[in-house]
Amino acid sequence: MPVKSPTRRSETSQKTVKVALAGCPNVGKTSLFNALTGTKQYVANWPGVTVEKKEGIFTYKGYTINLIDLPGTYSLGYSSIDEKIARDYLLKGDADLVIVVADSVNPEQSLYLLLEILEMEKKVILAMTAIDEAKKLGIKIDRYELQKHLGIPVVFTSSVTGEGLEELKEKIVEYAQKNTILHRMILNYGEKVESEIKKVENFLKDKKTRIKPRYFALKYLSGDQEFYSEGMKLGLPELSEEERIGYRLLISKRKREYVENVVKEAFADAGSKSLSLSEAIDHVLTHKFLSFPLFFALMYLVFKFTFDIAQVFSDLLDLLFSQLGSAVVSVFGENAFTSLISDGIIGGVGSILVFTPNIFAMFLALGFLEESGYLPRAAFVMDRIMEKFKLSGRAFMSLILGFGCNVPSIMATRSIDDPKERLVAILITPFMSCSARLPVYLLILRIFFPEYSAAMLFLIYSLSILITLLSSVVINWLFYRGRTSPLILELPRYRMPTLKNLYIYTWNRGKHFLKKAGTIIFVSAILIWVLSYFPAGGDIENSFSAMIGKSLEWIFKPFGYSWKIVTSLFYGAVAKEVVVSTMSMLYGFEEETFLGAKEALSAEMDPVSAIAFLVFVMAYIPCFATVATIYSETGSLKWTLFSIGYSFAVAYVLSLIILYTGKLVVMLI
């Protein structure tokens, strides 16, 4: 369970150490974070932005260690929001020390980042991850040679085997007690650069600045936007663009040379030139022709697992809630109160919760693909397709989060540098089928396509991806010519996911669904029950819900949907799961398990209209939370209203085409 603020306050009797966890993407930083903190994690947003801030807590020898997981970044520039957050926190935050996470197999880029952090004159510990994999590959690392070159503690760790975790905790406590840093990183950049650094340092002696003078000088000379602007305000001389580029290249070159020397002195491999297992797998999974069918085959298996494996648990929950609702009525009799409990709360919320096993199963499968290292490859593979739709693989990486929830998916577009591509990604994200729609899909598919549920679910999700990509083309055509930015991505090695990491991944994403069931859906269920029970005292045909549905029924006349289906779609604008709970109350099938739902909805729809209904649910207006996020991220009412209107139009037209085309095909057959 997440750690709440009161828990942290109750531990004030212990000494607290705040530790920042920094590292490049895909070096095992998240796995190390999970290994140290377990489930004692909580998530917020970094101040002023919607980028997720993840913190965790663990205790060791009377110390409470507060671990802050910084966004993964290859450098500490200022070109992306992730770089800005990481650098600002390292420079101005309140961390007592920094753990830099480096990959034991591919350490070069991580060591380059380490040099940048050391130049800030911070207390730093280097954690070399995946040491077990390095040993298997015959890579030998001289810890003492590393410590000699870098002047900081070095710990070999493995999140899989647990090696080095106790030692790392010991080093954190030991280093935190020291009043001085062990080593001040002074890398000589040559006479030309060093003379200019000295001039800037001398100039800054009388100036009030929180930044270390040498670090400030390096950033100023290399033309870093933030530091160069600050230097100009302080009165430092203006540098030409050629001078800034020249200094930047000299500084970068010297860092690269130093890293190469460290790796040469401290690392030795077995000398084998044979193809590694990871490289061999990549030859297949990223193959020019094989990669696409393999990607779709893996996604099909995800949905097969989501539907088939978890269905038995959903059926048990369905039976449990049915029996519980019946028990309430049998004990307390039929009245308004028992109707609220059995029909409104148990029926409304229970009709959503029965799909919890399916949703957690989907996150478990996606977690396996991500933890194993496949999803970054999927982004690489899809980059070739995305380019044809005026997007990049970077946009795909944010869009894929939409399978869980559209809100964090939209927030993740912050990693897209091109503002136009980012806006397009925000506007098309709601077409990605989030987990909130899954209960609707599962209910309808179980009723109308019981033998082909997994295949139909796969087709629906595939259609959602296709609509998302086509919408990118349409929006670019309507408003501007989209251009894509290149995808720069370091592919992690393949790893066998650990049960602990899979559990944390699945729980952290699935709990969002449970929170909605306990808050938004719970409140919505009660409100819907009130609107469906009054003013006629339980006569659904003359309730407020009936009035709403019948007043909107004309809009869906071409579909032939009854007012009950229309009402469920209307309430579903709050949250898509509410479509199921509304149907449950309006049709009254919460007391009759799945058979009641099948009987009620089969009388309203045939298989063709059921498909049209699912497509409409997949595409129509975003939920309230997504709409609010679109407005927050774009800062524009115009784009928010466009998203609502465009998605409704797409859903309406596409569903209508499917409905009448399907009916025509059935007639011809």
Side-chain angles (χ1 to χ4, degrees):
M1 292 178 64
V3 177
K4 305 296 183 184
S5 296
T7 304
R8 300 200 304 275
R9 286 196 295 268
S10 68
E11 295 169 340
T12 53
S13 59
Q14 296 179 317
K15 297 176 183 178
T16 300
V17 179
K18 187 165 281 191
V19 181
L21 197 64
C24 301
N26 302 318
V27 296
K29 184 164 64 72
T30 299
S31 295
L32 182 61
F33 179 83
N34 290 339
L36 290 171
T37 63
T39 57
K40 292 184 177 180
Q41 302 175 10
Y42 54 99
V43 177
N45 287 335
W46 289 94
V49 296
T50 52
V51 175
E52 187 179 89
K53 178 183 182 182
K54 189 160 64 171
E55 296 187 45
I57 284 180
F58 65 93
T59 56
Y60 187 76
K61 291 188 175 181
Y63 281 81
T64 298
I65 315 298
N66 189 359
L67 199 60
I68 298 95
D69 188 13
L70 298 179
T73 176
Y74 294 106
S75 66
L76 296 177
Y78 224 59
S79 59
S80 74
I81 189 67
D82 287 344
E83 290 179 350
K84 181 180 185 300
I85 288 170
R87 189 170 83 178
D88 282 352
Y89 185 78
L90 291 172
L91 286 174
K92 306 167 188 175
D94 55 353
D96 298 299
L97 62 90
V98 182
I99 296 176
V100 175
V101 182
D103 186 351
S104 296
V105 179
N106 299 304
E108 288 83 359
Q109 189 61 50
S110 297
L111 293 179
Y112 187 94
L113 177 66
L114 171 66
L115 293 185
E116 288 198 71
I117 296 175
L118 288 175
E119 286 174 331
M120 294 178 175
E121 299 183 34
K122 300 289 183 182
K123 289 183 179 181
V124 178
I125 296 172
L126 176 62
M128 301 296 299
T129 60
I131 192 65
D132 56 321
E133 295 184 39
K135 290 176 181 177
K136 289 177 182 177
L137 294 171
I139 299 173
K140 297 179 181 179
I141 308 174
D142 191 328
R143 184 205 304 256
Y144 302 103
E145 195 70 31
L146 271 178
Q147 291 180 158
K148 182 185 76 175
H149 282 286
L150 302 172
I152 59 173
V154 177
V155 181
F156 295 156
T157 67
S158 169
S159 301
V160 177
T161 65
E163 179 181 347
L165 296 183
E166 284 298 309
E167 182 186 353
L168 182 58
K169 294 175 183 178
E170 184 70 42
K171 289 293 183 185
I172 291 172
V173 171
E174 176 188 328
Y175 204 176
Q177 294 173 338
K178 298 182 183 295
N179 294 323
T180 59
I181 60 175
L182 294 181
H183 177 72
R184 184 181 174 214
M185 182 66 195
I186 303 178
L187 185 61
N188 192 302
Y189 290 99
E191 185 178 347
K192 179 181 179 181
V193 177
E194 288 295 333
S195 64
E196 293 301 320
I197 290 174
K198 197 66 178 176
K199 290 178 185 177
V200 176
E201 285 184 307
N202 290 333
F203 178 85
L204 293 174
K205 279 183 179 179
D206 301 326
K207 307 295 181 183
K208 292 182 179 180
T209 173
R210 293 179 59 188
I211 312 302
K212 299 296 181 182
R214 183 174 177 83
Y215 184 79
F216 191 106
L218 286 166
K219 288 297 182 180
Y220 166 77
L221 291 173
S222 60
D224 183 281
Q225 182 181 350
E226 183 190 23
F227 285 93
Y228 186 74
S229 299
E230 182 65 22
M232 295 296 291
K233 290 178 184 177
L234 292 172
L236 283 168
E238 184 177 357
L239 301 174
S240 67
E241 185 175 355
E242 290 77 11
E243 287 178 309
R244 281 175 276 161
I245 293 174
Y247 287 129
R248 189 184 312 145
L249 291 174
L250 287 172
I251 291 170
S252 176
K253 181 182 178 183
R254 180 68 184 101
K255 279 193 172 79
R256 295 290 178 192
E257 289 174 347
Y258 191 82
V259 167
E260 288 174 6
N261 183 59
V262 171
V263 172
K264 181 180 178 181
E265 295 289 331
F267 289 75
D269 57 36
S272 173
K273 300 298 181 182
S274 61
L275 199 66
S276 70
L277 178 62
S278 185
E279 290 172 329
I281 296 173
D282 270 343
H283 273 294
V284 178
L285 293 185
T286 61
H287 189 272
K288 184 177 181 180
F289 300 111
L290 294 176
S291 58
F292 298 113
L294 285 172
F295 168 73
F296 287 109
L298 284 171
M299 295 310 294
Y300 174 76
L301 290 177
V302 168
F303 299 123
K304 187 76 172 172
F305 178 77
T306 298
F307 203 99
D308 291 354
I309 303 300
Q311 195 54 52
V312 61
F313 301 104
S314 293
D315 291 340
L316 289 174
L317 280 177
D318 188 20
L319 181 61
L320 173 65
F321 285 116
S322 172
Q323 296 296 325
L324 187 60
S326 299
V328 170
V329 175
S330 64
V331 172
F332 297 101
E334 293 189 8
N335 51 59
F337 174 74
T338 55
S339 176
L340 170 62
I341 301 300
S342 64
D343 300 339
I345 298 176
I346 296 175
V349 179
S351 62
I352 302 298
L353 290 179
V354 295
F355 299 108
T356 301
N358 303 95
I359 290 170
F360 272 81
M362 184 179 73
F363 285 130
L364 178 62
L366 290 176
F368 185 89
L369 293 180
E370 183 169 324
E371 289 287 319
S372 66
Y374 176 71
L375 281 188
R377 273 124 177 131
F380 172 76
V381 168
M382 293 301 292
D383 185 60
R384 284 173 277 171
I385 294 180
M386 300 289 280
E387 186 179 5
K388 300 182 185 300
F389 293 95
K390 310 297 183 183
L391 293 169
S392 68
R394 188 177 289 101
F396 176 80
M397 293 180 72
S398 65
L399 289 172
I400 201 73
L401 294 175
F403 283 151
C405 178
N406 291 158
V407 172
S409 179
I410 291 172
M411 291 177 179
T413 60
R414 288 253 179 167
S415 64
I416 301 174
D417 296 329
D418 187 338
K420 291 182 178 179
E421 183 184 355
R422 178 172 180 257
L423 177 60
V424 173
I426 289 172
L427 295 176
I428 65 177
T429 291
F431 290 114
M432 296 296 288
S433 274
C434 63
S435 59
R437 298 173 171 98
L438 193 55
V440 187
Y441 299 159
L442 296 176
L443 176 67
I444 299 300
L445 292 177
R446 284 180 65 195
I447 293 173
F448 294 96
F449 307 97
E451 296 180 5
Y452 308 101
S453 297
M456 291 296 295
L457 190 62
F458 172 73
L459 289 175
I460 290 168
Y461 274 83
S462 299
L463 182 61
S464 78
I465 295 174
L466 180 60
I467 295 172
T468 302
L469 297 178
L470 290 176
S471 292
S472 172
V473 176
V474 172
I475 293 172
N476 274 291
W477 177 74
L478 286 174
F479 300 106
Y480 48 77
R481 290 184 180 180
R483 68 181 191 277
T484 59
S485 52
L487 175 65
I488 302 174
L489 184 66
E490 184 175 336
L491 297 179
R493 292 182 311 285
Y494 291 101
R495 295 183 175 93
M496 179 57 68
T498 64
L499 291 176
K500 182 177 182 180
N501 282 350
L502 283 176
Y503 165 72
I504 293 173
Y505 180 99
T506 305
W507 171 249
N508 284 341
R509 284 153 182 79
K511 69 183 180 183
H512 175 71
F513 173 78
L514 295 178
K515 284 181 178 178
K516 285 179 73 176
T519 54
I520 296 174
I521 297 171
F522 179 79
V523 173
S524 299
I526 294 176
L527 180 60
I528 293 168
W529 175 85
V530 170
L531 293 174
S532 303
Y533 192 84
F534 297 102
D539 182 2
I540 197 74
E541 292 291 336
N542 296 298
S543 65
F544 290 122
S545 290
M547 296 176 193
I548 293 171
K550 290 173 182 177
S551 67
L552 298 173
E553 199 172 5
W554 62 273
I555 299 175
F556 295 90
K557 189 174 182 179
F559 295 90
Y561 294 154
S562 69
W563 67 264
K564 293 180 180 179
I565 294 177
V566 174
T567 304
S568 68
L569 291 172
F570 177 78
Y571 290 151
V574 177
K576 295 299 180 289
E577 303 99 326
V578 174
V579 171
V580 174
S581 57
T582 303
M583 285 182 167
S584 171
M585 277 183 268
L586 296 183
Y587 287 103
F589 55 69
E590 70 280 1
E591 297 178 6
E592 304 172 47
T593 68
F594 171 71
L595 294 177
K598 183 175 182 179
E599 182 180 346
L601 293 178
S602 295
E604 293 274 359
M605 304 179 188
D606 57 27
V608 174
S609 59
I611 294 174
F613 176 75
L614 288 180
V615 171
F616 190 87
V617 171
M618 176 196 72
Y620 89 116
I621 63 177
C623 69
F624 282 4
T626 302
V627 170
T629 306
I630 292 173
Y631 179 75
S632 173
E633 291 297 304
T634 63
S636 169
L637 181 61
K638 178 188 75 173
W639 289 119
T640 305
L641 293 176
F642 172 82
S643 176
I644 295 171
Y646 176 75
S647 58
F648 185 85
V650 169
Y652 195 92
V653 173
L654 186 60
S655 300
L656 212 56
I657 291 172
I658 289 173
L659 178 65
Y660 284 99
T661 302
K663 288 186 179 297
L664 180 61
V665 170
V666 170
M667 287 176 60
L668 293 175
I669 293 176

